[in-house]
Amino acid sequence: MQIIPIFTTRGEHAAFYSNGYIFNSGGEWIGFVDTRNGYVYALDGEYVGYFAKDGRILRKRSMEEMPKRTPPAAPKRLALPTSVPLPPLIGDLGFDTIDVLEEMPERLHTLDSGDLKQDMD
């Protein structure tokens, strides 16, 4: 099982990718990738962006609504690597594209936070 670090445009390590799943830096599941087209979805099936060739999760600033996807079965918690390599040289983004993990990190959250969190009684 290969674990690929995901970096932001500023070169900060923000998440991991492994076998179609996206995990936060603590090893918790926060999203999944449709491996056919590289689209990234949150745990509730909402479209988040796309997995770019340079390893970032990007999104167009203005876009039409994308249909929801049914999430796959929850994976086991990721066993984190002891170290993360240095980020690759990453190019700037045009005005029409944003880095999701920099500008909209709340779109990728764990099951116990965000809109998926159950209310306390």
Side-chain angles (χ1 to χ4, degrees):
M1 175 170 77
Q2 184 179 16
I3 299 173
I4 300 169
I6 300 173
F7 296 96
T8 65
T9 301
R10 289 185 279 184
E12 298 170 354
H13 172 252
F16 292 101
Y17 170 81
S18 181
N19 293 340
Y21 295 100
I22 297 179
F23 300 88
N24 65 14
S25 57
E28 297 172 296
W29 181 38
I30 59 172
F32 61 97
V33 178
D34 183 339
T35 54
R36 295 171 294 173
N37 55 23
Y39 291 168
V40 176
Y41 296 89
L43 299 183
D44 60 0
E46 289 284 336
Y47 175 80
V48 173
Y50 59 93
F51 203 40
K53 291 179 183 177
D54 61 9
R56 294 180 285 182
I57 299 174
L58 304 178
R59 176 187 179 99
K60 293 294 181 187
R61 233 175 249 287
S62 63
M63 56 180 286
E64 296 178 19
E65 283 293 314
M66 297 286 283
K68 276 188 157 186
R69 292 284 311 270
T70 303
K76 294 181 182 177
R77 188 179 180 101
L78 185 68
L80 299 174
T82 56
S83 64
V84 177
L86 293 173
L89 292 175
I90 298 175
D92 290 334
L93 297 175
F95 179 74
D96 66 332
T97 306
I98 60 171
D99 185 327
V100 173
L101 292 173
E102 277 187 0
E103 296 188 38
M104 300 174 153
E106 68 279 356
R107 287 190 161 271
L108 289 168
H109 50 76
T110 60
L111 284 171
D112 61 352
S113 65
D115 292 338
L116 301 177
K117 184 176 182 178
Q118 293 183 1
D119 293 333
M120 293 179 63
D121 292 339

